[in-house]
């Protein structure tokens, strides 16, 4: 794993080292809360980098919500042909400028970061001389740090000799670890709940998608509690910080996108108001009248001799039209004659 994630292990440890220098200067290098805050701000630093993809993800979701009825029609139309439905969906998404992978990008980028942090924390051992960016002094500082007797690199289910080697015990680990698991579970639940609420109507109309979303909303918090027994305290802090950031980010970005959409609507309304309107009493020109006039002009120009211009009558009308602007069509003449005969 160290060889595979080496391109990200050193940056992750470097960010953790930087924030420990900042908070260690204030609280002391061996202070457990200084290391806890370093983990929190490691998460915040990485999530700031992912802020732009998250914004693109939210904008893509709003765009998909606009053509959700079209997606539902495609699903109903090609219900028996999954390949054709996938092609049409991809075509529709490309027409609206939506990248289906954009929604998965922020979550996918967090996976190697999480694994790298887990690996860095596991390497803080009493016998380690260094740990990527950290030298021996940094390793000793992390090992000596604790929060109410719980060591940050240990987890609850470790054996008693292993916990004793780090200078802690299972009771201290449970006193700190269990509340962190519960808080992380609650934060995970609310994060998943907001995500489900923001799903498009077309996505939730699919029974399988709706069932899977509700299933994940309840299974993810349970997973936080179960896995918390096997994760280091520092990783639980990472999980908690990540969910807290996600809750705040969803609120902030949602408000920002809402304001953008309001401005777009205001621009559309202003453009409609600024569009030219017919004067009072003026008869609006119908599209079919323009088409008939264009056909008549084309026909006249075709029958005219080369170099001869199409002339108008003295009252400004084209030949073949009646006074009042109405065209003298053979069909209308026949209809008027037939109507007159009936009256007689």
């Amino acid at each position: 794993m160290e060889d595979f994630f080496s391109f990200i292990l050193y940056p992750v440890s470097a960010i953790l080292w930087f924030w420990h220098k900042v908070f260690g200067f204030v609280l002391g290098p061996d202070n457990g809360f200084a290391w806890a805050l370093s983990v929190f701000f490691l998460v915040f630093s990485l999530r700031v980098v992912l802020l732009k993809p998250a914004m693109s993800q939210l904008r893509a979701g709003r765009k998909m919500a606009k053509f959700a009825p079209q997606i539902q029609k495609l699903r109903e139309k090609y219900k028996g042909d999954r390949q054709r439905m996938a092609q049409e969906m991809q075509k529709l998404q490309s027409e609206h400028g939506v990248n289906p992978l954009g929604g998965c990008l922020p979550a996918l980028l967090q996976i190697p970061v999480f694994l790298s942090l887990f690996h860095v924390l596991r390497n803080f051992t009493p016998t380690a001389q260094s740990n990527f960016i950290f030298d021996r002094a940094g390793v000793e500082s992390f090992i000596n740090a604790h929060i109410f007797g719980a060591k940050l690199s240990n987890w609850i289910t470790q054996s008693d000799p292993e916990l004793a080697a780090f200078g802690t015990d299972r009771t201290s680990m449970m006193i700190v670890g269990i509340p962190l698991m519960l808080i992380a579970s609650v934060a995970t639940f609310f994060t998943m709940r907001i995500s489900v609420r923001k799903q498009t109507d077309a996505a939730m109309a699919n029974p399988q998608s709706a069932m899977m979303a509700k299933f994940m909303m309840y299974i993810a918090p349970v997973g936080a509690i179960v896995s918390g027994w096997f994760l280091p305290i520092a990783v639980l802090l990472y999980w908690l910080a990540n969910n807290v950031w996600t809750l705040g980010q969803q609120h902030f970005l949602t408000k920002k996108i809402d304001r953008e959409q309001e401005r777009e609507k205001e621009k559309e309304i202003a453009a409609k108001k600024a569009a030219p309107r017919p004067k009072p009493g003026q008869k609006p020109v119908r599209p079919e009248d323009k088409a008939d006039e264009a056909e008549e002009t084309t026909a006249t120009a075709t029958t005219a001799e080369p170099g001869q211009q199409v002339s108008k009558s003295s009252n400004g009308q084209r030949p073949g039209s009646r006074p009042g602007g109405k065209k003298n069509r053979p069909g209308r003449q026949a209809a008027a004659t037939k109507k007159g005969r009936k009256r007689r």
Side-chain angles (χ1 to χ4, degrees), residues 20-38:
H20 174 253
K21 288 294 183 183
V22 174
F23 294 108
F25 178 78
V26 178
L27 301 175
D30 296 344
N31 188 287
F33 290 98
W35 279 102
L37 289 172
S38 301

Side-chain angles (χ1 to χ4, degrees), residues 239-250:
W239 198 331
L240 176 60
N242 192 58
N243 283 296
V244 170
W245 177 276
T246 301
L247 286 173
Q249 177 179 282
Q250 287 178 342

Side-chain angles (χ1 to χ4, degrees), residues 59-72:
R59 287 196 179 106
R62 293 295 181 91
K63 286 183 180 179
M64 291 187 68
K66 291 182 179 180
F67 60 90
Q70 302 179 35
I71 295 177
Q72 189 63 26

Side-chain angles (χ1 to χ4, degrees), residues 34-284:
W35 279 102
L37 289 172
S38 301
V39 174
F40 265 72
F41 277 80
L42 165 67
V43 176
F44 298 159
S45 301
L46 297 172
R47 293 301 299 271
V48 166
V49 176
L50 299 176
L51 195 59
K52 187 174 181 180
M55 179 79 74
S56 301
Q57 173 191 359
L58 187 56
R59 287 196 179 106
R62 293 295 181 91
K63 286 183 180 179
M64 291 187 68
K66 291 182 179 180
F67 60 90
Q70 302 179 35
I71 295 177
Q72 189 63 26
K73 289 180 181 179
L74 289 177
R75 286 176 177 170
E76 295 175 357
K77 184 177 180 180
Y78 302 104
K79 189 175 182 180
D81 191 352
R82 292 182 177 273
Q83 184 177 0
R84 181 65 185 277
M85 182 176 65
Q87 293 176 354
E88 294 296 329
M89 291 274 287
Q90 186 177 4
K91 181 180 178 181
L92 183 65
Q93 290 169 351
S94 61
E95 289 177 355
H96 288 80
V98 176
N99 184 6
L101 297 178
C104 305
L105 184 60
L108 291 176
L109 291 177
Q110 291 183 54
I111 294 176
V113 174
F114 178 83
L115 295 176
S116 300
L117 176 64
F118 183 80
H119 190 70
V120 170
L121 296 176
R122 290 290 297 269
N123 283 349
F124 281 114
T125 60
T127 58
Q129 297 300 317
S130 63
N131 187 12
F132 299 101
I133 298 297
F134 294 94
D135 55 9
R136 177 60 188 174
V139 173
E140 290 179 352
S141 174
F142 187 87
I143 293 172
N144 295 330
H146 63 87
I147 299 177
F148 303 116
K151 299 293 184 175
L152 301 182
S153 59
N154 296 92
W155 53 96
I156 298 175
T157 55
Q158 274 185 303
S159 63
D160 291 332
E162 288 177 326
L163 293 174
F166 282 85
T168 186
D169 54 63
R170 197 177 311 279
T171 303
S172 299
M173 296 297 297
M174 292 178 68
I175 290 174
V176 177
I178 291 177
L180 283 177
M181 285 188 288
L182 294 176
I183 296 173
S185 177
V186 172
T188 302
F189 173 77
F190 282 106
T191 302
M192 297 297 296
R193 187 179 180 182
I194 293 175
S195 300
V196 170
R197 283 183 176 180
K198 294 185 180 300
Q199 293 288 333
T200 60
D201 295 336
M204 297 306 292
N206 189 348
Q208 295 179 351
S209 300
M211 183 178 65
M212 183 59 67
K214 291 181 179 179
F215 176 77
M216 290 301 299
M217 185 173 65
Y218 292 100
I219 200 65
V222 175
I225 295 177
V226 173
S227 61
W229 293 83
F230 308 95
L231 294 175
I233 297 297
V235 175
L236 290 177
L237 292 171
Y238 172 89
W239 198 331
L240 176 60
N242 192 58
N243 283 296
V244 170
W245 177 276
T246 301
L247 286 173
Q249 177 179 282
Q250 287 178 342
H251 179 75
F252 171 75
L253 294 185
T254 300
K255 294 293 184 181
K256 182 177 178 60
I257 298 298
D258 289 341
R259 289 194 295 268
E260 289 180 358
Q261 290 187 337
E262 288 177 2
R263 288 195 292 266
E264 290 178 0
K265 288 182 181 179
E266 291 176 357
K267 289 181 180 180
E268 291 177 359
I269 294 173
K272 290 180 180 180
K273 290 181 179 179
R277 297 182 179 181
K279 297 179 181 180
Q282 181 181 2
K283 184 179 179 181

